[in-house]
Amino acid sequence: MYSKVKTLMIVGIEGLVVSVETDVSAGLPDFSMVGYLSSESKEAKERVRISLKNSGFQLAPRRITVNIAPADIRKDGTAFDLAIAVGILISYGIISSDRCKDIAFLGELGLDGRLCPVHGVISMVAAAKDEGFHGVIVPKENAREGSAVEGIKVYPAASLGNVVEMLSGNEELDSYAAEHWVAGQEERKYDVDFSEITGQAAVKRAAEVAAAGMHNIIMVGPPGSGKTMTARRLPTILPELTQEESMEVTKIYSICGLLPPGRPMMLTRPFRSPHHTISASALAGGGAVPRPGEISLANRGVLFLDEFPEFSRASLEVLRQPLEDRRVTISRVKGSYSFPSDCMVVAAMNPCPCGYYPDRDKCRCTDYAVRKYLQKISRPLLDRMDICVDMPAVAYSDIIMSRSVDVKQEDSAAIRGRVMAAWERQKSRYKDEGIFFNSQLTNSQMERFCHLSPAAESMMAEVYRRMELTARAYHRILKVARTISDLSGEAVISEYSLAEAVGYRGLEQKYWG
Amino acid sequence: MEDRSRDRYGGLSSRELWFWLSTLDVIGPVSLNRLLGVFGSPEGIWTHHAWSGADAWNGDHDMPCVELNPKQIKELGDSKLEPEKIAKKLAAIEKDGIAFIGRNEADFPGKLRSLPDCPAGLFVKGSLPMPDMPMVAIVGARSCDEYGRQMAEYFGRELASHGIGVVSGMAAGIDGESQWAALRSGGYSLAVLGSGVDICYPRSNYNLYEQLIRDGGVVSENVPGTIPQAFRFPMRNRLVSAFSDAVLVVEARERSGSLITADHALEQGRDVMAVPGRVGDQLSEGCNRLIRQGAVMVTCFEDVCEVLGMDFSEPKNLREAEDEERKDHDAEWMKIIEALSSTPSHIDNISEKTGIAISELMHDLLLMEMRGVVRQVCQGQYVKLLFPDR
């Protein structure tokens, strides 16, 4: 007898509904599976056969054929197991197909018939909802994650036996009580705060500006000056994730199996800090079946690249296109996959191989060595770093200050307040432009939105001439100046905002020439 | 007659024979001068029977009368084997725009003639200084700091704009900075290289090298094509001091090549001057020691003039120049200038010292930078310009 049940798979970061067709007929006893399966999907055959037996179903030897359609998309993952098992049981007439009509099945089977959790549940449940399904049966461990999708019922199950029971009865199924996971509702759980950084006023200010306009930032400083410390605290001053953003981030984490245990949704902005030995494909995403890379995992958050010049040239260069398009597109023969990569890149580096330049008492690197070190970063990549700040070594007075109770450092919440106000201003200004942040401004948009006050105008002219700026540097300064003005609520860019933006320009003239 | 005499020397002219001596590498300038002392002239050396042929010195031991070792004797013999190659090589070098000046020629710098280790000839790109031009060598550390950079720039600029030539080694750091400053102010500068004049070392100074050829001079005693090797630089330094009337050391560590130049200067009877630095600054240890040993301490251009016995203007010291600059600005600028020194200070520290908020400070510093009062040496690090270029 023929049967057809629905399950889902992941393509990119979205779910795709696929059908599991099963036919059981007379002939030599056999169990074959077709439908362009990857090896982990092919192995479902053994898992399903034995878990059926161990769940107490004595199936007569017949010729069983399973097809997973559409047959031209490569199937990978282990989430098909449950649907195959259910399909076989329907074909044998053990359960009725009526109950399965509007339901999709997800889950991997153990040999003892238990249902094991799978990755990417939230994307698949969301896709099922879009396809008009009434409910999805998922492993009970995935129920909380699945229930984050509104408008579809999620039925948790512990084992194959459990599922069969559910489908054999007549009563209404128990759906998982959807917890209302709203981004920002739950108390923000960052274990770090900006108030822990003493001194370093210039860098804190630069971090605030970077956050306000989602500008990429590069920090240069000697070892131990607090580059990593600052970077870790950057997500804490970014405004909270919206519901949509939270869903997007959760999907990516779900696919990679990186959701924190006990947390069905990503409610805080991600912070990714890959080691500098990372390969190009691990950073941007890749693989025979493309998976999101670090830059996509940092989507809507911060990608921190410590020891920037130590990353391999190939890894760094691969960042260029995703930084521009805010999306990674990976092409394979069987189609192209696209992952969002809308993140803020925070890079940290030493000014020279020993780290102490320009302190010539400590640093004996030759000018050549210093230049060589800086030149490891290519010019095009540097052009995408809007803000460049230098961090001084921590002074003793700063250490002392952190001990005294009287001096209160500003905490992340206060900075976040200002950043949020700047975000609001940008949002209302760019509502018809399809962009959100000053960092995304194109040159023509800049002409329309970045107006300089007369004083700033004449200052810009002088700066351009005296500092021999390039057109690119000019545009970068303008974008950052726009953000600084947004922070202080100016409609027109003042000379103070402009001067500060000029101060954040990279010193490419000097070192990166 | 002329032809017959040339035949005796492998068909080489007297100029070509001096060139031949310049190409010898194992035989250094000291040995060469000893040879010339014994044989009188390059012709005398060429015709001596000891280098090759049946009567050749057997090479088992040193040759006592000229104190040459077997390796040096072999070089003399081998280099004589193909005289036409010597002539060809000189022609090729001159075709490349490199001038060769033998010691016997009139344009050979007089200052060098009296050296006990005077080179047999010089290779020149660009031009040599006029014989009556006063010359000062400015030398110092390659990895200099901002203070040294400013000092080198100041002295290079002031000397050159007053018609005094600046000699140096075209190295990174102090050497290059002073030569750049000299050329920028429209003066003359001479670089003495440790490699051949056709090789720019360090490569990072290529722009300077080209400009020196255009507006100044690049000179070397080494045959073009000689690669820079560590042992050639101390030798080069003796020529740096020899070309000059006085040597100014701007920044030098305790063990520094600049001190070798200073030693040569003393041997050659040139004045030695040094720019003082703070006690404890590694980069000034060499200078301060020179001063203790009797070098003239100089803090401004007028001090150098005094050493040279020249007088250009009434002395105006650093303090006055600074005060003049300060009058133009308001109190806030003065506060910032006071917080700055020639050691880079980070904007955080400036803010702390002056009490001015970061964003406002960045505005002021930008204006000051454009007025040429301060300089940003690297992101967020500022120094006060000691000698604002007006």
Side-chain angles (χ1 to χ4, degrees):
Chain A
M1 192 179 129
Y2 168 84
S3 76
K4 185 174 176 183
V5 292
K6 300 282 187 180
T7 181
L8 294 113
M9 64 178 282
I10 295 286
V11 178
I13 63 160
E14 300 301 335
L16 176 75
V17 175
V18 295
S19 311
V20 176
E21 298 175 300
T22 314
D23 182 74
V24 176
S25 51
L28 282 178
D30 187 24
F31 186 174
S32 63
M33 285 176 60
V34 293
Y36 198 17
L37 306 172
S38 69
S39 48
E40 74 262 32
S41 303
K42 267 184 209 147
E43 286 158 7
K45 189 161 82 174
E46 300 304 318
R47 286 194 297 270
V48 168
R49 197 166 55 83
I50 295 170
S51 70
L52 279 170
K53 187 196 91 186
N54 287 341
S55 299
F57 301 104
Q58 299 292 330
L59 301 177
R62 294 275 177 82
R63 190 179 180 89
I64 304 171
T65 309
V66 171
N67 174 35
I68 305 183
D72 62 341
I73 298 175
R74 186 169 171 86
K75 315 296 181 311
D76 65 320
T78 52
F80 307 129
D81 294 8
L82 180 61
I84 297 168
V86 169
I88 292 172
L89 288 173
I90 294 172
S91 294
Y92 268 96
I94 292 172
I95 46 182
S96 127
S97 62
D98 305 344
R99 297 275 288 183
C100 311
K101 240 187 256 155
D102 291 334
I103 295 179
F105 299 86
L106 291 177
E108 175 187 330
L109 287 172
L111 295 187
D112 55 355
R114 124 194 84 89
L115 214 46
C116 308
V118 291
H119 293 163
V121 166
I122 191 162
S123 302
M124 296 197 275
V125 172
K129 183 204 127 188
D130 293 341
E131 288 283 318
F133 280 86
H134 160 79
V136 185
I137 294 184
V138 301
K140 67 175 192 309
E141 290 88 344
N142 292 128
R144 275 181 89 188
E145 183 189 334
S147 70
V149 182
E150 284 173 55
I152 185 164
K153 293 227 162 58
V154 171
Y155 307 113
S159 65
L160 179 58
N162 209 200
V163 174
V164 174
E165 263 170 45
M166 285 160 73
L167 296 173
S168 315
N170 281 322
E171 62 275 19
E172 184 71 14
L173 295 180
D174 282 342
S175 72
Y176 189 82
E179 288 170 58
H180 213 60
W181 293 101
V182 179
Q185 236 181 26
E186 189 196 33
E187 209 177 309
R188 292 167 70 92
K189 285 208 183 87
Y190 291 112
D191 39 12
V192 291
D193 195 277
F194 252 92
S195 60
E196 291 152 6
I197 304 176
T198 51
Q200 304 288 21
V203 173
K204 280 194 207 164
R205 170 72 185 168
E208 181 181 332
V209 174
M214 283 303 261
H215 296 287
N216 298 327
I217 177 173
I218 179 163
M219 296 183 286
V220 185
S225 56
K227 300 183 291 284
T228 310
M229 206 172 164
T230 309
R232 282 206 177 280
R233 281 154 185 77
L234 255 166
T236 68
I237 59 168
L238 290 171
E240 281 151 13
L241 287 172
T242 64
Q243 186 78 37
E244 272 165 56
E245 287 173 339
S246 176
M247 185 68 85
E248 191 181 79
V249 174
T250 308
K251 278 181 182 174
I252 299 170
Y253 273 68
S254 174
I255 288 162
C256 296
L258 287 175
L259 280 179
R263 281 251 210 120
M265 289 283 280
M266 293 294 293
L267 299 178
T268 52
R269 294 201 177 261
F271 176 83
R272 300 296 300 183
S273 166
H275 190 254
H276 58 72
T277 52
I278 191 170
S279 70
S281 49
L283 195 58
V289 178
R291 302 272 243 118
E294 287 291 336
I295 189 166
S296 299
L297 287 169
N299 185 39
R300 307 284 177 195
V302 171
L303 177 66
F304 178 47
L305 304 175
D306 202 358
E307 305 298 349
F308 202 37
E310 305 296 339
F311 281 81
S312 78
R313 191 87 184 203
S315 307
L316 288 182
E317 295 309 302
V318 87
L319 284 178
R320 277 156 56 172
Q321 178 256 340
L323 284 181
E324 202 81 331
D325 306 346
R326 298 185 183 257
R327 202 150 251 291
V328 185
T329 308
I330 299 166
S331 297
R332 292 289 180 266
V333 179
K334 283 286 166 189
S336 69
Y337 300 76
S338 171
F339 302 111
S341 65
D342 189 0
C343 66
M344 176 175 164
V345 173
V346 178
M349 63 184 286
N350 294 332
C352 70
C354 82
Y356 290 101
Y357 186 86
D359 182 350
R360 281 305 198 181
D361 267 351
K362 282 189 190 156
C363 167
R364 301 217 24 195
C365 302
T366 60
D367 283 358
Y368 176 74
V370 174
R371 207 170 318 115
K372 188 101 187 153
Y373 189 69
L374 297 173
Q375 274 170 354
K376 285 191 186 174
I377 302 157
S378 77
R379 198 49 195 273
L381 192 60
L382 208 63
D383 277 332
R384 286 164 177 79
M385 309 303 282
D386 290 345
I387 296 181
C388 175
V389 271
D390 183 273
M391 306 190 69
V394 180
Y396 182 64
S397 60
D398 290 335
I399 302 172
I400 291 298
M401 201 159 72
S402 68
R403 288 205 213 120
S404 75
V405 200
D406 316 336
V407 191
K408 205 77 207 123
Q409 300 281 338
E410 202 172 25
D411 65 3
S412 292
I415 304 173
R416 189 165 64 236
R418 291 196 296 273
V419 171
M420 275 169 80
W423 277 35
E424 284 307 318
R425 285 190 195 102
Q426 293 170 61
K427 212 194 249 171
S428 68
R429 180 161 2 107
Y430 303 135
K431 58 179 182 294
D432 303 326
E433 300 294 323
I435 59 171
F436 296 102
F437 301 112
N438 293 328
S439 53
Q440 300 166 329
L441 283 170
T442 62
N443 291 359
S444 63
Q445 284 168 330
M446 247 181 272
E447 262 168 46
R448 276 187 290 145
F449 297 113
C450 301
H451 298 297
L452 295 168
S453 74
E457 192 82 58
S458 64
M459 179 191 253
M460 189 78 233
E462 196 180 347
V463 167
Y464 195 90
R465 190 170 47 82
R466 303 255 333 196
M467 303 199 166
E468 294 163 20
L469 295 184
T470 57
R472 254 177 211 269
Y474 166 76
H475 287 127
R476 234 164 37 228
I477 289 172
L478 217 53
K479 279 192 243 184
V480 176
R482 183 63 261 174
T483 303
I484 297 168
S485 298
D486 284 334
L487 272 172
S488 53
E490 303 163 352
V492 177
I493 300 169
S494 73
E495 71 267 33
Y496 283 91
S497 302
L498 181 66
E500 193 179 337
V502 172
Y504 292 136
R505 79 192 190 284
L507 283 186
E508 54 273 290
Q509 244 63 34
K510 196 148 189 176
Y511 296 127
W512 276 291
Chain B
M1 174 71 197
E2 167 75 359
D3 285 338
R4 265 210 1 245
S5 76
R6 278 185 82 154
D7 283 347
R8 289 188 59 205
Y9 315 123
L12 297 177
S13 69
S14 162
R15 191 173 133 75
E16 284 161 344
L17 285 171
W18 279 106
F19 171 72
W20 164 60
L21 292 182
S22 299
T23 58
L24 301 177
D25 197 38
V26 183
I27 298 177
V30 176
S31 308
L32 189 67
N33 282 328
R34 212 161 40 228
L35 273 174
L36 283 167
V38 173
F39 299 106
S41 64
E43 286 83 354
I45 300 173
W46 182 275
T47 48
H48 192 70
H49 56 81
W51 320 130
S52 52
D55 298 336
W57 193 259
N58 61 18
D60 288 343
H61 49 84
D62 291 2
M63 191 173 166
C65 65
V66 284
E67 294 174 48
L68 289 186
N69 61 36
K71 239 173 125 184
Q72 293 173 317
I73 293 166
K74 186 174 178 332
E75 187 186 29
L76 268 177
D78 290 352
S79 64
K80 274 181 66 183
L81 290 178
E82 291 172 293
E84 62 283 359
K85 272 202 177 164
I86 296 173
K88 254 191 206 155
K89 195 170 174 192
L90 178 59
I93 284 170
E94 288 180 327
K95 214 176 133 212
D96 282 347
I98 298 167
F100 171 74
I101 304 174
R103 200 201 286 184
N104 62 330
E105 289 170 53
D107 346 344
F108 191 83
K111 282 173 182 165
L112 267 53
R113 281 186 198 280
S114 57
L115 297 182
D117 45 7
C118 175
L122 291 175
F123 297 91
V124 185
K125 275 191 124 176
S127 59
L128 284 176
M130 294 288 120
D132 53 346
M133 187 183 219
M135 301 287 287
V136 170
I138 302 181
V139 295
R142 272 168 297 169
S143 56
C144 62
D145 68 10
E146 197 47 37
Y147 168 69
R149 206 178 293 273
Q150 281 195 32
M151 283 294 171
E153 220 180 292
Y154 164 76
F155 282 109
R157 183 177 78 215
E158 291 297 316
L159 289 169
S161 60
H162 285 90
I164 302 169
V166 174
V167 192
S168 200
M170 209 182 79
I174 301 291
D175 285 20
E177 290 295 334
S178 63
Q179 296 199 287
W180 264 126
L183 293 177
R184 267 200 300 263
S185 66
Y188 175 84
S189 184
L190 178 71
V192 187
L193 303 190
S195 56
V197 284
D198 57 338
I199 291 175
C200 173
Y201 177 82
R203 286 301 295 265
S204 53
N205 273 346
Y206 193 77
N207 289 345
L208 174 61
Y209 171 74
E210 289 218 305
Q211 189 144 4
L212 277 168
I213 291 170
R214 206 162 44 238
D215 303 331
V218 177
V219 65
S220 171
E221 63 177 311
N222 299 313
V223 192
T226 307
I227 53 166
Q229 284 164 296
F231 73 90
R232 296 193 192 275
F233 288 88
M235 293 293 288
R236 177 276 304 266
N237 288 352
R238 88 183 192 286
L239 292 186
V240 171
S241 60
F243 266 109
S244 64
D245 298 297
V247 173
L248 172 60
V249 184
V250 174
E251 259 188 342
R253 293 177 199 274
E254 196 154 12
R255 284 164 44 95
S256 162
S258 312
L259 301 183
I260 298 176
T261 313
D263 285 345
H264 284 307
L266 290 175
E267 279 167 25
Q268 297 161 0
R270 316 296 198 240
D271 287 309
V272 175
M273 303 174 282
V275 176
R278 284 198 306 201
V279 173
D281 275 8
Q282 285 184 25
L283 269 166
S284 289
E285 270 173 26
C287 288
N288 290 347
R289 203 179 59 192
L290 278 177
I291 293 170
R292 195 171 69 235
Q293 289 169 348
V296 182
M297 181 180 89
V298 293
T299 57
C300 61
F301 168 62
E302 286 73 17
D303 293 349
V304 179
C305 293
E306 212 181 296
V307 171
L308 294 175
M310 303 165 95
D311 187 22
F312 286 103
S313 60
E314 70 281 18
K316 189 177 77 173
N317 71 29
L318 200 59
R319 202 79 217 155
E320 278 169 36
E322 229 175 69
D323 289 346
E324 203 173 278
E325 181 67 28
R326 282 178 188 189
K327 270 180 221 141
D328 311 343
H329 311 301
D330 56 9
E332 200 164 275
W333 280 36
M334 278 190 55
K335 249 204 280 183
I336 297 173
I337 291 175
E338 253 158 42
L340 289 169
S341 69
S342 60
T343 325
S345 353
H346 193 267
I347 191 160
D348 270 358
N349 303 336
I350 308 169
S351 165
E352 214 168 275
K353 274 192 202 162
T354 57
I356 303 170
I358 294 280
S359 50
E360 201 175 324
L361 195 57
M362 284 174 92
H363 174 252
D364 288 342
L365 283 169
L366 177 64
L367 288 181
M368 290 165 81
E369 192 179 357
M370 286 194 290
R371 296 282 166 284
V373 188
V374 301
R375 179 192 290 162
Q376 192 176 188
V377 291
C378 112
Q379 186 68 48
Q381 310 245 22
Y382 290 85
V383 293
K384 169 168 72 178
L385 284 180
L386 296 171
F387 304 97
D389 184 8
R390 270 158 298 171

